[in-house]
Amino acid sequence: MANPIAIALHGGAGVLTPGLLTPEDETTIHEALLRALKAGLTLLEQDGSSLDAVQAAVVELEECPWFNAGKGAVFTHTGDHELDAAIMHGANREAGAVAGIHFVRNPILAARAVLEHSEHVLLAGAGADAFLATQDLEKVPNDWYDTDLRRRQWQTQLQAPDSVSLEPGGVDKKFG
Amino acid sequence: TVGAVALDRHGHVAAATSTGGITNKRYGRVGDSPLIGTGTWADDRSAAISATGHGEYFIRTVVAHNIASRVLLAGETLNTACDTVVSGELKTMGGNGGVIAVSPSGETALSFNTPGMYRAWRDEQGGLHTAIYAED
């Protein structure tokens, strides 16, 4: 019998109670989650690696504006985006991570580049941007991540600094 | 925040997490997602875990490695370890959020202490599931 495969993913947790999202929104989100799950599962079914599978699933989620990662990432206080990501392989506990990066379309691919093309585990800020500029990754201007939904949440939060919307439709008290 | 965990046919697990952080964040604030052992962890001896939620609390609870250590050192099942940390230690401290995890034996866990978590998984029979609310 072939070894088992398994895959799971998340798109964020928060104050998600029925009624906050419209039925159309819910359908869109379910479809996006299923698309991402299949992106990773297809690789596993072809005997691909779990590392490639989790990367493929997260790229799909980063591309979907509904989720707080990549396209659709939340705004910082100054109105730009600082992205964080990490990836890790259980076979050898090799890992790559980025924090506070600004210009790579898919931050999980940036984390994979740190894992594969640097001797470090975590690179942050301007230094990480400089390393990633040397990598063969798709670069985007920082406003590429903008979405109207997140901009509205940011504007709301600027007026009410003690509550922040982490997830589409959800509002949660968070203190950064 | 988004994340994925997987087990391949070679018995290897992996985890990936990506996030924009929290709205209106200042001062270069970084949460748990990029911190290995906190928001993201993978070890063939125990499990792969990806977390989402209030990063400051996940950092202070070292959530991902905490769960993996319970499996590796205390012999807890993956579901028990996830629930103990997410609904116990983390919740008691005031941290809201959840984790997804898979073990090298194929056990899958989705554990959260909030009213909902966007999630999807493949069950052991190959069925595919997506869910939003806790009661889904």
Side-chain angles (χ1 to χ4, degrees):
Chain A
M1 176 180 162
N3 287 335
I5 58 175
I7 187 167
L9 55 83
H10 68 76
V15 184
L16 295 167
T17 47
L20 269 180
L21 299 166
T22 67
E24 295 74 23
D25 292 343
E26 290 178 2
T27 301
T28 302
I29 291 169
H30 280 289
E31 288 168 353
L33 290 169
L34 189 58
R35 195 165 51 242
L37 190 71
K38 288 180 176 177
L41 181 57
T42 300
L43 292 176
L44 295 175
E45 289 170 340
Q46 295 165 355
D47 281 358
S49 76
S50 53
L51 197 66
D52 290 340
V54 295
Q55 174 180 298
V58 169
V59 164
E60 275 294 328
L61 294 168
E62 287 176 338
E63 290 293 304
C64 178
W66 268 101
F67 304 114
N68 173 22
K71 185 74 177 176
V74 298
F75 284 78
T76 69
H77 183 66
T78 54
D80 66 354
H81 304 276
E82 296 175 354
L83 292 311
D84 308 330
I87 192 166
M88 186 170 188
H89 198 196
N92 48 23
R93 277 174 281 162
E94 284 189 343
V98 289
I101 65 169
H102 300 87
F103 305 112
V104 171
R105 179 176 178 135
N106 294 108
I108 199 62
L109 299 182
R112 183 76 179 264
V114 172
L115 188 161
E116 293 188 336
H117 305 298
S118 87
E119 65 272 19
H120 304 299
V121 171
L122 172 59
L123 295 179
D129 285 338
F131 166 77
L132 295 168
T134 69
Q135 299 299 304
D136 182 18
L137 296 166
E138 183 175 353
K139 311 297 189 302
V140 293
N142 192 259
D143 61 8
W144 182 85
Y145 306 107
D146 291 6
T147 56
D148 291 341
L149 170 68
R150 298 298 188 185
R151 185 185 308 282
R152 288 198 304 272
Q153 289 174 347
W154 172 52
Q155 296 296 341
T156 302
Q157 226 268 323
L158 285 174
Q159 268 88 54
D162 66 348
S163 69
V164 66
S165 309
L166 257 191
E167 303 310 334
V171 178
D172 200 350
K173 296 284 184 191
K174 295 250 186 235
F175 298 89
Chain B
T1 305
V2 303
V5 289
L7 165 68
D8 62 31
R9 289 220 192 282
H10 315 286
H12 299 317
V13 296
T17 312
S18 180
T19 188
I22 55 175
T23 303
N24 200 31
K25 68 181 177 186
R26 306 169 189 227
Y27 318 123
R29 179 267 186 189
V30 175
D32 61 299
S33 298
L35 303 184
I36 296 300
T38 300
T40 308
W41 178 256
D43 181 347
D44 284 359
R45 302 171 300 173
S46 51
I49 298 124
S50 173
T52 175
H54 198 158
E56 279 69 13
Y57 293 94
F58 280 67
I59 293 171
R60 291 165 56 201
T61 319
V62 200
V63 166
H65 193 267
N66 190 332
I67 290 168
S69 298
R70 290 169 176 275
V71 173
L72 180 61
L73 304 175
E76 289 186 1
T77 68
L78 185 57
N79 273 282
T80 301
C82 290
D83 290 342
T84 304
V85 173
V86 172
S87 300
E89 198 175 332
L90 184 69
K91 188 69 180 172
T92 307
M93 191 187 272
N96 295 324
V99 298
I100 55 171
V102 293
S103 72
S105 62
E107 187 182 2
T108 300
L110 302 99
S111 181
F112 51 99
N113 62 32
T114 50
M117 179 165 81
Y118 298 127
R119 57 202 188 279
W121 68 100
R122 174 190 185 274
D123 66 29
E124 292 186 10
Q125 289 70 44
L128 304 185
H129 307 268
T130 61
I132 296 177
Y133 307 110
E135 55 271 19
D136 279 351

